Amino acid sequence: LKEVGHSQFNNILISIMGEDFEVHSTAVGKAYQKTYGDGTTTPWLDDNENLQESLKENRWIRWDGVEGTAESHMDWLQEQAKSLMSEERREEYRPYGEKNGIEYYIHDELTAKGQGYGFFKLEGTLQLEPKDMVASMFNFEQTAESDATVVLMKVLKTYRQSSSGPFVTAAYWCNAPGFPFYYRDGLDLSGYKVEGKTLWQLSVSAKGKDFFSMPGSLAAEDMYWAYRLEPNNDGATTKTTLICQTKLNGWIPRVLSNYYVCSVLIDYMSTTEETVRKRKESGEHQKLLKRLELDKL
């Protein structure tokens, strides 16, 4: 975070008028402001006619070629996550390491199927409530504070869901793996679902066939990203499980790519705890929960 510096961000604005619900959030790392300003102008996205049509029609092609709505892709990912996190499939994973109290595992078969990009499962207990973690995922200011690799993040569209999840966003992201590698960017559909006291936060790449990267970047894919957040009986901590598989593409060696992804994920989870604590003290976190309709959960 010291290398990137503090970030300059747009404030989150969420307007709720009946079914009209928009999440507006943009974050630009301080080191990149001379190039990208405040992030409001993104011609590689704004001038992409196919992308703009997808945003308007809510028709998205997932990374595996399946076309559907933002909500249908969330449903698919949740079902995949439930299966891949089940006790019946625990033996499919092998231990891969531990850091900051978070244990992580790798699924060798799905890693091989994903061209060597690691399919990981992380398990641990976070010192926050499930809704705190979900809120942090849709607050790009907080995400950038917790993830030093962020170059630019921008919500492009918000869709209301009709069933177990309040909304899904279509969001652009760009991250810096570090010298000498190009930035990596992509477009994800992200949402959350409520099942009793358990929350699911879900994201999947759906950039389609005609996605144009930011100049100087290479497109990457979040094939699987799913948090299962279960409150513990103490009311203050969360049993947390994350599955994820990201294809960074390009010439980053797989061993380095997998190490990078794991390291960033664990650091993010650990840093989020401290960031949420500070934002609660200032009262900003409580405002965010209300805006995201998480305050009554």
Side-chain angles (χ1 to χ4, degrees):
L1 183 57
K2 291 180 181 179
E3 295 179 0
V4 178
H6 291 94
S7 300
Q8 177 179 330
F9 307 96
N10 291 351
N11 290 328
I12 289 181
L13 170 63
I14 299 175
S15 59
I16 304 175
M17 295 179 63
E19 290 303 310
D20 182 21
F21 181 97
E22 289 290 332
V23 179
H24 301 287
S25 185
T26 303
V28 181
K30 183 177 181 180
Y32 312 102
Q33 290 171 14
K34 288 185 178 180
T35 304
Y36 307 113
D38 61 2
T40 56
T41 302
T42 48
W44 64 95
L45 303 173
D46 305 333
D47 299 337
N48 185 329
E49 293 182 2
N50 290 323
L51 171 59
Q52 295 304 315
E53 187 70 15
S54 291
L55 290 167
K56 179 181 178 181
E57 300 295 332
N58 189 15
R59 300 298 300 178
W60 298 96
I61 301 176
R62 204 168 58 220
W63 60 268
D64 57 357
V66 175
E67 184 176 355
T69 65
E71 182 180 14
S72 70
H73 291 314
M74 293 296 96
D75 292 339
W76 171 84
L77 182 56
Q78 184 183 33
E79 290 306 310
Q80 293 291 310
K82 286 181 177 180
S83 174
L84 289 162
M85 293 180 186
S86 66
E87 287 300 316
E88 291 78 9
R89 302 188 66 175
R90 178 172 288 276
E91 293 184 358
E92 296 180 16
Y93 298 85
R94 63 178 173 87
Y96 200 67
E98 186 273 340
K99 183 180 179 182
N100 299 339
I102 305 296
E103 296 180 346
Y104 48 107
Y105 305 83
I106 191 168
H107 194 294
D108 290 319
E109 181 180 345
L110 293 177
T111 296
K113 188 176 179 180
Q115 302 175 4
Y117 291 100
F119 189 105
F120 298 109
K121 180 173 71 168
L122 283 70
E123 295 180 332
T125 297
L126 296 182
Q127 304 300 310
L128 42 68
E129 297 180 61
K131 61 184 180 183
D132 297 330
M133 190 65 178
V134 170
S136 72
M137 301 300 294
F138 293 99
N139 181 351
F140 287 170
E141 175 181 354
Q142 186 170 323
T143 299
E145 289 176 3
S146 303
D147 182 354
T149 71
V150 169
V151 176
L152 171 63
M153 302 180 72
K154 184 176 185 177
V155 171
L156 305 179
K157 184 72 173 179
T158 310
Y159 303 102
R160 273 291 199 184
Q161 291 198 76
S162 60
S163 55
S164 61
F167 64 86
V168 183
T169 64
Y172 171 81
W173 58 269
C174 181
N175 290 68
F179 182 82
F181 303 110
Y182 289 109
Y183 300 160
R184 295 303 194 269
D185 68 350
L187 192 147
D188 287 0
L189 301 173
S190 299
Y192 75 90
K193 288 180 174 290
V194 182
E195 284 191 342
K197 295 182 179 180
T198 298
L199 299 184
W200 295 81
Q201 193 278 316
L202 308 158
S203 296
V204 65
S205 178
K207 58 186 177 61
K209 299 178 180 179
D210 301 305
F211 176 79
F212 293 103
S213 287
M214 173 195 293
S217 301
L218 291 176
E221 295 174 324
D222 285 325
M223 300 165 67
Y224 296 88
W225 174 283
Y227 272 107
R228 182 179 65 196
L229 302 161
E230 304 171 275
N232 289 318
N233 292 332
D234 58 16
T237 63
T238 297
K239 179 182 177 182
T240 303
T241 306
L242 169 68
I243 59 165
C244 63
Q245 185 175 37
T246 298
K247 291 179 65 176
L248 293 181
N249 296 319
W251 297 103
I252 300 178
R254 299 296 190 272
V255 172
L256 182 58
S257 169
N258 291 341
Y259 170 80
Y260 166 80
V261 169
C262 262
S263 179
V264 168
L265 289 173
I266 292 174
D267 289 344
Y268 173 79
M269 292 171 72
S270 300
T271 307
T272 296
E273 295 175 317
E274 180 63 17
T275 303
V276 168
R277 184 187 66 79
K278 291 180 179 179
R279 291 180 66 84
K280 283 184 175 180
E281 290 177 353
S282 69
E284 290 302 311
H285 187 71
Q286 291 83 344
K287 295 177 183 178
L288 177 64
L289 291 175
K290 185 175 182 179
R291 291 168 182 166
L292 293 173
E293 303 183 339
L294 286 162
D295 57 318
K296 297 180 181 179
L297 296 180

